Amino acid sequence: MSVPTTTDPVERARDAAARESWAEAYELLHAHDRHPSRGLTADDLSVLADAAWWSGHVDESVTARLRAHAAYLAADDHRGAGLASWWLYYEYAGLGRPAAAAGWLHRARHHLEDLPDCPEQCFLEMTAAEEASAHGDHETALAATRRMTALALACGSPDLLALSRQAESRVLLAAGRRTEGLALLDDAMCAVSAGELSGMVTGWLYCLALTQCMEVADFARAVEWTNAAMEWCAPPWTGRPPDEDTATTTDTAPEDSPAGAAPLPMTVPSGENPFRGVCRAHRVEVLDLLGAWALAEAEARQACREVPVDCLESAAAAYYAAGDVQRRQGRLEAAAVSYGHAHELGRIPQPGLALLRLAQGRADAAVAGVDLALACRSDPDHDVLGRARLLAARTEVALAVRDVTGAAKAAADLDALPGAADGDVPLLRALADTALGSVALAEKRPGALLPLRRALAGWLELRVPYEAAQVRMLLAAACRAAGDEEAARLELGTARAVFERLGAVPDARRAAALLSGGSRRRLPGGLTAREAEVLRLVASGGTNKDIARALVISEHTVARHLNNIFAKLGVGSRASATAYAYAHGLV
């Protein structure tokens, strides 16, 4: 590391920026800039903008960039003005100001498009590829990424070449060319892991790669690069891993915040890596799947404090993941608050919210929520995992309300998704096999065991314990239906142990009840034994007349029992009562 020898603060700031010591560069340039007699050049203003962003002062970054653009324009430097314009487009887009962003993108094109080939044009091609891909025009997007690659190779910039590889990989993955896309993504990430790139591009590529891996359900890559990203983001002043840093926190958890006012992320402290909160939010989703729920929830709280104000979608993802953990642990009120915070920050909290409504016995709300989310995400090319999770939830919700036909359609749609149909993506294949097996079980077909055993093998190979335990519960039901009580008890015992270790209290109780045959179980919702009998018959589709005949009571008595059941469970329809019965293991 070079040691500055000059006393000139601007020279020292330039040296600090070259070393990516952004807090130092910011302090020097900020102090110098407060004196009107000491002007900064356009390049120095650009350095100030970069340093302010890295130091968590996003508004100051935009102000400095505006001044840099004006200075480049005054000097008739269209390359400098074009790059400053593109960065203003990027920053305004992150701040949720699309009109301002669009204006600055237009200016960037005005400055750069008619110039001879230059490195700054790479950013225009990258943006053109993103816009074309968003409209499903993969050919135009691919052509833009390849022009970007040619420009990057011509100027010899490792940063721009890595960005072009990543941009092309994203287009290929969206076009369904998975093998080619992942190969290019690996190429870009080689430059990251080798430390060949600037801090900004390194952070970008980590965030983009983690998003891509989860969208295409490549869980192995997501785990590997999440760990690498968190190691890169770790604060240099402690040397401690992020887990230890998080474990000692005493800040307020998301579920303790007022439901109507989600706490917005704080300004990133000076000297911290602003990518840290974004990468940590990705890590939360990985920890959730791996079953490290306590750590996932703690990391979600930490991520919401670290995410900069121009990356609120990452805070929303962290709140959503916390809601999933809380829901499966039976902390339904806390989950509702977390999903609400995710929604306030711009994320549709599905399918988690639909599954929460199902657990609360609100079947109609569960069906409507997941159907609307599926309608809003009709294109399977983008975020295949997100669509797969919605279809898996649609299968579960449909079965809970005895809509076996709807469940079968959702399971078939899931089975037909790219990566599931051909078996190339283990996570998607496991989701599809789980859905297909659950439908076969509901239809009382003898073929349920085969897809369920495939699903269990898939989840175990992926090391996703909660989903594996859920499949064991289905396998136990299939084994009992086939007359193999010993196999059923083995599956239930293993599932119960996993649920207890994870803290999935409702599932653990359900497994324990099934192991004991339900004879000594306390009935949920304060139901009496007779009310539970009535509810089971309602869930099987019986009318009041059917139930009266089966229990040898009057229809008037059946109606009175139903009124008591609806009041105790807080539901208003037979469908909602049926969903409650299935969610709480009464059927």
Side-chain angles (χ1 to χ4, degrees):
M1 185 181 294
S2 63
V3 178
T5 58
T6 179
T7 59
D8 181 1
V10 176
E11 288 294 334
R12 289 164 56 203
R14 292 169 184 162
D15 179 82
R19 292 181 279 112
E20 296 195 339
S21 181
W22 295 112
E24 179 185 353
Y26 171 75
E27 292 298 334
L28 288 166
L29 288 176
H30 182 69
H32 183 84
D33 194 45
R34 283 185 294 183
H35 297 277
S37 60
R38 303 176 184 176
L40 291 174
T41 67
D43 289 342
D44 291 333
L45 286 167
S46 294
V47 172
L48 175 58
D50 292 340
W53 185 87
W54 278 94
S55 302
H57 305 286
V58 178
D59 289 343
E60 290 185 46
S61 174
V62 171
T63 300
R65 195 85 62 190
L66 288 167
R67 293 170 59 197
H69 173 267
Y72 284 124
L73 201 57
D76 201 29
D77 182 350
H78 285 276
R79 285 178 56 182
L83 185 58
S85 297
W86 188 90
W87 277 111
L88 284 164
Y89 149 74
Y90 175 80
E91 292 192 275
Y92 277 124
L95 291 170
R97 297 183 57 185
W104 283 104
L105 180 58
H106 177 77
R107 281 201 176 187
R109 287 169 174 155
H110 171 75
H111 287 305
L112 295 172
E113 279 182 338
D114 294 332
L115 295 179
D117 288 352
C118 60
E120 291 80 4
Q121 292 168 344
C122 283
F123 294 98
L124 294 184
E125 298 295 351
M126 183 169 68
T127 305
E130 291 172 353
E131 292 176 340
S133 190
H135 289 92
D137 187 353
H138 301 311
E139 289 188 11
T140 299
L142 201 57
T145 62
R146 288 175 177 168
R147 287 194 298 270
M148 181 182 178
T149 300
L151 289 167
L153 288 169
C155 69
S157 167
D159 276 357
L160 295 176
L161 183 59
L163 282 174
S164 71
R165 300 285 193 225
Q166 186 279 328
E168 186 174 352
S169 77
R170 190 172 186 84
V171 175
L172 290 170
L173 289 170
R177 297 163 63 176
R178 183 182 179 88
T179 301
E180 297 171 80
L182 289 175
L184 274 174
L185 186 58
D186 288 343
D187 184 294
M189 295 308 291
C190 278
V192 171
S193 58
E196 299 171 357
L197 309 178
S198 68
M200 175 60 80
V201 173
T202 296
W204 264 359
L205 289 180
Y206 270 130
C207 294
L208 293 168
L210 293 174
T211 299
Q212 284 176 257
C213 287
M214 293 309 295
E215 286 179 351
V216 301
D218 194 322
F219 189 49
R221 279 182 173 85
V223 171
E224 180 179 347
W225 288 338
T226 298
N227 291 335
M230 289 309 300
E231 184 177 343
W232 175 72
C233 291
W237 58 88
T238 64
R240 295 182 298 171
D243 297 1
E244 183 180 343
D245 190 36
T246 301
T248 59
T249 184
T250 58
D251 286 3
T252 302
E255 67 271 20
D256 295 329
S257 304
L264 294 179
M266 301 291 289
T267 299
V268 179
S270 182
E272 269 195 28
N273 189 326
F275 287 104
R276 188 180 183 195
V278 179
C279 292
R280 196 187 296 280
H282 286 291
R283 185 178 188 235
V284 170
E285 189 171 9
V286 169
L287 291 171
D288 178 21
L289 283 169
L290 292 175
W293 287 357
L295 181 56
E297 191 174 0
E299 289 284 75
R301 292 195 297 269
Q302 184 72 2
C304 290
R305 289 190 296 271
E306 292 175 340
V307 168
V309 295
D310 54 347
C311 296
L312 295 185
E313 66 278 3
S314 295
Y319 276 120
Y320 178 83
D324 275 354
V325 170
Q326 293 152 357
R327 170 178 55 80
R328 287 174 297 192
Q329 289 182 330
R331 298 154 55 198
L332 302 188
E333 291 184 6
V337 172
S338 292
Y339 289 143
H341 289 338
H343 183 263
E344 289 172 33
L345 293 173
R347 177 175 179 136
I348 298 174
Q350 295 291 4
L353 185 59
L355 297 174
L356 173 65
R357 297 303 180 223
L358 186 63
Q360 293 171 327
R362 297 173 56 186
D364 294 343
V367 171
V370 76
D371 281 350
L372 181 59
L374 276 167
C376 293
R377 196 182 302 208
S378 57
D379 182 6
D381 290 340
H382 176 68
D383 192 6
V384 177
L385 180 57
R387 182 165 180 82
R389 284 172 162 164
L390 285 169
L391 289 169
R394 182 66 179 89
T395 306
E396 183 176 346
V397 169
L399 289 175
V401 298
R402 307 293 287 170
D403 178 13
V404 180
T405 302
K409 182 183 184 308
D413 289 346
L414 173 52
D415 186 45
L417 285 178
D422 51 22
D424 286 348
V425 187
L427 184 55
L428 295 180
R429 188 65 257 160
L431 278 169
D433 284 332
T434 302
L436 293 171
S438 65
V439 170
L441 185 61
E443 294 174 338
K444 300 181 180 180
R445 287 193 277 113
L449 280 170
L450 181 60
L452 289 176
R453 293 204 182 282
R454 282 201 312 260
L456 178 60
W459 291 122
L460 291 175
E461 184 177 352
L462 289 165
R463 299 183 181 181
V464 178
Y466 179 76
E467 301 292 349
Q470 290 278 37
V471 172
R472 288 189 187 277
M473 297 286 283
L474 295 170
L475 274 170
C479 290
R480 274 187 172 164
D484 191 346
E485 181 63 26
E486 183 178 0
R489 294 185 68 81
L490 284 172
E491 297 292 1
L492 287 171
T494 304
R496 178 186 180 182
V498 172
F499 290 141
E500 288 176 344
R501 176 174 60 80
L502 293 173
V505 176
D507 292 298
R509 287 176 178 164
R510 186 160 57 98
L514 290 170
L515 272 169
S516 65
S519 58
R520 296 182 299 277
R521 178 165 57 121
R522 178 187 296 176
L523 294 169
L527 296 175
T528 66
R530 175 61 87 181
E531 287 165 351
E533 286 182 295
V534 171
L535 181 55
R536 290 189 188 100
L537 291 170
V538 168
S540 68
T543 64
N544 285 14
K545 186 175 182 178
D546 296 331
I547 297 168
R549 186 182 301 115
L551 299 180
V552 196
I553 57 178
S554 70
E555 289 187 50
H556 176 76
T557 303
V558 173
R560 178 168 51 81
H561 282 315
L562 279 175
N563 286 335
N564 292 337
I565 290 168
F566 287 0
K568 288 180 178 182
L569 303 185
V571 300
S573 67
R574 298 171 85 94
S576 295
T578 297
Y580 185 96
Y582 275 88
H584 291 81
L586 290 170
V587 182

